[in-house]
Every structure is written in C-alpha cells, then in structure tokens.
Amino acid sequence: MANFFSQLKVGQRLYIPGASAEPRAFVEALARVSAELPPLNITNSFVPGVNPLALATEDNALTETVVFPRGNKLMHEGRVDFLPLSYFGAANYLQQQSFDWAVLQLSPPDQQGQCSLGASVEFLPSVLKGSQRLLGLINPNVPQVPGAPSLSIKELHQVEEIDSPLVTYNVGSIDRVSDQIAGHLSELIESGAVLQLGLGNVPTKLCAALGEFKQLRFHSGMLSDGFWHLAECGALDEGFAHTTCCALGSDAFYQQLPHLQQLTIRGVNQTHDPSNLSQHTNLIAINSALEVDLWGQANLEMLGTRQISSVGGAADFARAARNAPQGKSVIALPSTAAKGKLSRIVPHFQPGQVTSLGRGDIDYVVTEHGVAELKGKSSLQRAQALIQIADPAFREQLSEAWHQQLSKS
C-alpha cells in the first residue's frame, strides 16, 4: 500500500467505509504513515466501539468528515467535521460529493470477474457516483454474498491484496435489565411483523426471545447474529427479502452469509428510503435513546453540550414505522444510568440538548419496568405512563417535577 500512499496529493478527498466494511489493514497502515501524508480529508462511516482508529490526530495534517461523532476536541477545532444527519440524509449528502478515491474492501473475483461488497454496503452506492478513482482491496475473508452488489475487477483503478479478518461485533454477556426489556418488547411483536433493530444487549436478547415466532420479516439498518439464530429456528418468512445495509457480527455469522439466500444487502439509499419503508405493513422500529422526557421526546445524541452519539437510522425508521399501517415506533432503554444514580426518564431536557425524536415520532417507550403507550395519549397521560415505567426511586420526584412545570406554564 506504500505505492498508493505515495501518490496522494494535497487536498485530495478519500472515502473509507466503516462497520464490517472497514478495511482494517488499510486503515492501520494509513494511521502509521499519517504524519508523513499531505493534508487530506478522510470521509468515513466509522462506528464508535466498532471502528476505533482515529485518522485525524494532533500529530498529522489529516481532517475527517464523519457520520458518527468522535473526539469533541478535534470537532471544536474543525479537524473533524460531524454530519448531523440521519442515515438517509447522509446518503443524500454523500451522493452530491466528489471524492478523489473511494476505498473498497472486496471479495476475490468470481469466475465472471465480479467482486462482492460482502457483508456491508452502507453508503457506497452513494459514494461511488462521485468517486473519480476506486481502490480495490481484495480480501479473501470478505464473503461472496448472493444478495449483495458486486463490482467488476475491471472497474477498479488500483488493486491491492490484503488478508485481514473482518471487523467483528460481540455483544458480550446479557444483563438482567436487558433481559427484562426484551421480554416487554416481545409483547409488542406478533408473527408477520417487519422488524428494525439496532445492535446491543436488548436486540440480541430480543432475537433470542423470538425463536418461537413465525413469518418474521426484517428490514433493518444492521443485522447481527440474532438474525442467523432466527433463521435456524425457522422463525423467518422465507419468501420475504430480508434487507439490511450492514451485517455486523461474529466470524461464524459472516461464514453463514453466503448461505442465507433470503438476505439482501443494499445501500442506505435504498434501505432507509422513506418510500421503500412506507411499503411495509406492521413495520416495528425499535431504537434506543440516552433519555426520554415526560413530554415523550427522545434525546439520542447529547449529554449536556457534549455530542456523544448520532441520530443514525433511528429517525428514518421511527418516522416510517409511526406512519406505517399497523406500524409501531418504539424506544427501549434502561430506566437508570450511573449505576442507578440517574434516571433516564427525565422531566425535561437540559439546555443545549438535541431532541432527536419528537413527540409525534414515538408510539411506545419500554424500560425494564414495563411499557408506556404514548400513541393517542394527551400530554398528561403520556407523563403519567412514563412515570410508571421509571425506576421506582425516581417516580415521586418525576411527578413533582411534572406538576411544577405545569404550574409555571
């Protein structure tokens, strides 16, 4: 890859995908020589906790444009530009950009010379339209996925061979609270539903709890090992084109992808497109949040004035599910943070915080203490329902704060 790095010029723009599409060997090599590179902009979709390497640092002249926030200090200094967009919004933005190089991690070519994008497509269909040159990193660990797009090796302007494992995701042990939340969520799901899930303890446990269901369908931003589990249980609708923009999980999951004939992997421009999502009856979008206030709003991004997360695909799916026939927009979160010292059901958000999902975007809020149904409820009824699923230690305090807010209005 030294030859590739040596030809980069001042001001050029590169796109590097994240999640399971991250070419880790390439990113590590780039980080090692970053101090020797000219000023470049690296646009990427690196996911916090999954793709940990920072490319723009105080020791080099690189800048980054990111879909997920990283490094508040460098963000404030203008070295890292965070795009405050939903996934579909980011796909539209990237489609209008021009890149000197798009870096692609691909499977070895098949007999027809086609190289699969493998487990993750994400923003690449949007990026490729504005990319002048394509660097193809041929990695034998990238699976040939029948339901994923591919490129002819002839379309690549430069080819390098790498051999590094795909980025994996391990949820770890499931805690009791996540187990309880998943149990309440399963009560909102029925056979035949179209599900959108994220990553984490709750989605993993929920998939484990849905093994006895039938005809489940998935149209989701990300799918992990839980999807494979449901396929083995016979819980999936085999006639449905289960769709995601990214498969992210264990090595064993990746090895199964070529055999999951019902799985389709497409770009965000398709998976998060409101016109596509609106075609699904009984679409159930299950997302998380940092906090929910008593008005029924969800804060997905901010702790005070610190940007710690992104709205991601939550806004795209929540709004689609909210308006879909028989659809449900659900926020699931533990009732407390800081080892029980803070309530995540709050009277109102602090100044400077972002309301990622408004009152009209959420039908249900679920904690380990139960389900609060917000759809069709008045402000008072919403507050009462949310207080009932808060941690018991905070319920009286929340009730008093609610009445104080009303007395000041």
Side-chain angles (χ1 to χ4, degrees):
M1 283 176 280
N3 180 48
F4 174 77
F5 295 140
S6 67
Q7 63 187 293
L8 296 175
K9 300 177 182 178
V10 173
Q12 286 190 322
R13 300 185 70 194
L14 282 68
Y15 180 83
I16 304 175
S20 54
E22 180 203 356
R24 180 63 59 83
F26 174 87
V27 173
E28 290 175 343
L30 190 154
R32 285 194 297 269
V33 302
S34 62
E36 304 166 19
L37 296 176
L40 305 168
N41 177 260
I42 312 292
T43 300
N44 64 65
S45 59
F46 292 179
V47 179
V50 176
N51 312 115
L53 279 176
L55 295 177
T57 70
E58 296 179 353
D59 299 322
N60 61 43
L62 304 181
T63 60
E64 286 184 77
T65 301
V66 297
V67 175
F68 288 97
R70 182 191 58 74
N72 278 270
K73 183 176 184 293
L74 290 178
M75 286 170 60
H76 294 322
E77 293 175 356
R79 296 283 309 285
V80 175
D81 291 327
F82 164 64
L83 300 174
L85 300 169
S86 73
Y87 253 40
F88 188 64
N92 287 337
Y93 168 84
L94 292 170
Q95 187 167 306
Q96 300 168 32
Q97 303 304 302
S98 176
F99 296 97
D100 297 282
W101 286 95
V103 181
L104 312 175
Q105 180 170 246
L106 301 162
S107 74
D110 62 16
Q111 292 181 345
Q112 288 73 44
Q114 292 295 118
C115 304
S116 176
L117 289 174
S120 179
V121 176
E122 256 194 358
F123 298 103
L124 288 175
S126 297
V127 169
L128 293 180
K129 294 183 178 181
S131 296
Q132 298 179 29
R133 293 184 163 225
L134 307 181
L135 171 63
L137 303 172
I138 306 300
N139 186 348
N141 297 293
V142 175
Q144 279 274 4
V145 181
S150 62
L151 292 175
S152 169
I153 197 165
K154 296 179 181 179
E155 297 180 71
L156 306 175
H157 297 87
Q158 187 167 332
V159 176
E160 301 276 356
E161 293 187 358
I162 62 174
D163 187 352
S164 61
L166 297 189
V167 173
T168 58
Y169 175 78
N170 182 5
V171 71
S173 59
I174 306 297
D175 59 277
R176 179 182 59 84
V177 169
S178 297
D179 194 356
Q180 293 171 327
I181 293 172
H184 293 308
L185 285 172
S186 65
E187 298 172 5
L188 298 176
I189 299 169
E190 55 191 37
S191 292
V194 180
L195 299 178
Q196 176 254 326
L197 305 175
L199 298 175
N201 281 349
V202 171
T204 299
K205 186 61 183 180
L206 178 60
C207 286
L210 297 178
E212 298 299 320
F213 284 59
K214 297 297 180 184
Q215 300 295 303
L216 290 176
R217 305 168 178 183
F218 280 84
H219 188 119
S220 188
M222 288 194 178
L223 291 177
S224 194
D225 290 62
F227 176 78
W228 173 28
H229 164 75
L230 291 171
E232 290 194 315
C233 290
L236 300 181
D237 182 345
E238 295 185 358
F240 184 79
H242 304 278
T243 304
T244 186
C245 68
C246 176
L248 176 63
S250 65
D251 285 325
F253 178 47
Y254 297 143
Q255 291 170 15
Q256 290 298 317
L257 292 180
H259 310 295
L260 295 174
Q261 299 293 327
Q262 66 270 52
L263 177 62
T264 299
I265 303 179
R266 290 291 182 265
V268 172
N269 59 320
Q270 295 184 46
T271 58
H272 292 63
D273 186 339
S275 62
N276 291 337
L277 294 174
S278 65
Q279 298 177 23
H280 294 303
T281 298
N282 201 2
L283 174 63
I284 303 178
I286 301 175
N287 293 288
S288 188
L290 299 173
E291 297 175 320
V292 173
D293 74 1
L294 293 180
W295 299 94
Q297 305 170 114
N299 169 25
L300 279 64
E301 301 181 62
M302 306 288 289
L303 281 182
T305 56
R306 288 185 61 233
Q307 181 92 40
I308 67 167
S309 188
S310 165
V311 66
D316 300 321
F317 277 94
R319 286 161 189 160
R322 180 69 177 79
N323 296 315
Q326 303 173 42
K328 300 182 182 79
S329 171
V330 184
I331 290 294
L333 73 168
S335 65
T336 64
K339 298 182 179 180
K341 296 178 181 179
L342 297 175
S343 176
R344 293 176 68 173
I345 306 293
V346 297
H348 55 81
F349 297 144
Q350 297 300 315
Q353 287 180 326
V354 173
T355 305
S356 299
L357 295 179
R359 290 180 286 177
D361 298 323
I362 303 170
D363 295 318
Y364 298 88
V365 176
V366 179
T367 73
E368 70 271 28
H369 299 293
V371 178
E373 183 175 358
L374 307 185
K375 188 174 184 178
K377 300 295 179 65
S378 68
S379 295
L380 174 60
Q381 291 169 332
R382 285 165 168 253
Q384 291 172 335
L386 287 164
I387 290 170
Q388 288 305 307
I389 63 165
D391 187 273
F394 295 96
R395 291 177 187 173
E396 183 177 350
Q397 177 183 334
L398 288 168
S399 182
E400 292 176 357
W402 172 254
H403 291 295
Q404 288 176 3
Q405 288 186 85
L406 295 183
S407 65
K408 294 178 181 179
S409 61

